[in-house]
Amino acid sequence: MLRLGHLVNLPPILDFEASSLSDCSYPISAGLFIKGEIKYWIIKPEPEWIDWSLSSQAIHGLKRSYIEEVGISVADLRLELEKLLIGVDTIYSDNPEWELRWLSHLGKFKIEILDVKELASNTSHETWRKTFESQFRVHDIIPHRADHDVLAMCFTLHELKSIEICKNLRE
């Protein structure tokens, strides 16, 4: 767990890494920013979750044997998420459709997942993308690792909001 007190006012942000991008894919890791902290889980596949893509593995860097060995069970993760998300009705992500799909593999959550870019509404898609990509270099974090992707989204929002505040002060 990583504490980011200076970002405590940001809403919850979620990211998953998955076995593949196929219709049979399932979540293999999750990162969640909530109340100033980043949580990270490796998710043990359910017995019927057999889809696996070596090209996805090359991107996220997690081998199926590793996630089977060290992963948290879906039932235990569901319980943790239910506790963490008490009173939360909206989570943000950079890919709401996929995140909602993978979250549904963990259980039924009455949560809306919105695009994190909505939180920086005065920012163009290109500015968001460049700022987001730069966070991995600036903070020496790894892309396609769920907790690091969440961290990059938090840093991106912080940077873009800081730029907006400074711009408003100059006007």
Side-chain angles (χ1 to χ4, degrees):
M1 171 182 46
L2 176 62
R3 292 188 188 278
L4 300 166
H6 67 292
L7 301 175
V8 73
N9 292 326
L10 292 177
I13 299 173
L14 176 69
D15 188 70
F16 285 106
E17 294 301 319
S19 62
S20 74
L21 293 177
S22 79
D23 289 341
C24 300
S25 67
Y26 52 86
I28 62 163
S29 67
L32 175 67
F33 172 82
I34 190 160
K35 299 176 186 166
E37 296 181 354
I38 297 223
K39 310 282 188 179
Y40 178 66
W41 302 273
I42 293 175
I43 305 165
K44 184 176 186 168
E46 294 285 279
E48 65 274 13
W49 293 359
I50 57 173
D51 174 73
W52 192 257
S53 164
L54 290 177
S55 60
S56 290
Q57 177 180 304
I59 292 169
H60 56 62
L62 296 171
K63 292 183 178 182
R64 184 174 168 104
S65 59
Y66 178 75
I67 64 173
E68 288 173 341
E69 181 182 330
V70 304
I72 184 172
S73 73
V74 169
D76 288 344
L77 178 53
R78 181 176 44 251
L79 290 174
E80 281 191 43
L81 287 173
E82 286 171 352
K83 288 178 190 174
L84 287 168
L85 298 173
I86 290 173
V88 174
D89 56 3
T90 305
I91 295 177
Y92 291 85
S93 170
D94 61 351
N95 200 327
E97 184 179 320
W98 281 105
E99 307 311 349
L100 186 59
R101 177 188 186 142
W102 290 318
L103 182 64
S104 72
H105 280 74
L106 305 178
K108 293 188 184 223
F109 293 87
K110 293 182 180 179
I111 289 183
E112 183 176 25
I113 301 179
L114 299 177
D115 195 317
V116 71
K117 293 175 219 60
E118 291 180 18
L119 297 171
S121 57
N122 294 331
T123 304
S124 73
H125 177 74
E126 185 63 16
T127 300
W128 171 273
R129 185 187 63 74
K130 286 181 179 179
T131 306
F132 176 72
E133 289 174 358
S134 74
Q135 301 309 308
F136 294 97
R137 290 184 307 277
V138 170
H139 298 285
D140 195 26
I141 54 179
I142 303 164
H144 302 292
R145 184 176 145 159
D147 55 337
H148 289 201
D149 285 355
V150 166
L151 189 56
M153 285 183 257
C154 290
F155 287 147
T156 299
L157 284 172
H158 182 68
E159 183 172 326
L160 293 173
K161 286 181 181 229
S162 296
I163 290 168
E164 188 174 318
I165 289 168
C166 291
K167 186 175 162 182
N168 290 338
L169 287 173
R170 286 191 300 260
E171 292 176 349

